[in-house]
Amino acid sequence: MTPIAAAIACLLTITLCYAAMCAGSPFGRCRKCNGFGYSIKTDRKGRPQRGKSCRRCKTTGKRIRIGRWIFNRAQRIYREGNR
């Protein structure tokens, strides 16, 4: 197999796996709060405490994956175009 064909096969495999992951699990952890829904602070003694609520995920700890967001947007445009 030539290197170009191997690279194309590898990229195709990665793309299909990501599409399957977006279909099976459309939400991932929030990158800002690491899925907690709030930041973690420490007090003076070094013990962890709950901090402010995360504004990015609105305290859910979840975010929609980019691939799923693109799929939802394309589906909405298609539906609106067929009316």
Side-chain angles (χ1 to χ4, degrees):
M1 192 189 276
T2 64
I4 294 174
I8 290 172
C10 183
L11 288 174
L12 185 64
T13 303
I14 290 170
T15 303
L16 290 175
C17 288
Y18 182 71
M21 184 177 63
C22 285
S25 176
F27 294 100
R29 290 186 324 189
C30 177
R31 288 186 289 256
K32 187 172 183 179
C33 65
N34 205 16
F36 287 116
Y38 52 87
S39 62
I40 297 178
K41 299 188 322 182
T42 56
D43 61 0
R44 292 181 178 186
K45 294 183 179 180
R47 292 181 294 210
Q49 285 184 329
R50 180 187 169 116
K52 287 183 167 182
S53 298
C54 181
R55 294 187 319 185
R56 182 181 286 177
C57 65
K58 299 181 179 94
T59 317
T60 61
K62 299 288 182 182
R63 64 168 178 83
I64 193 158
R65 296 186 195 276
I66 294 170
R68 186 60 182 213
W69 183 85
I70 291 170
F71 176 75
N72 289 348
R73 182 66 50 128
Q75 211 174 23
R76 185 177 305 128
I77 290 170
Y78 179 76
R79 264 188 269 125
E80 289 175 359
N82 282 339
R83 287 186 184 185

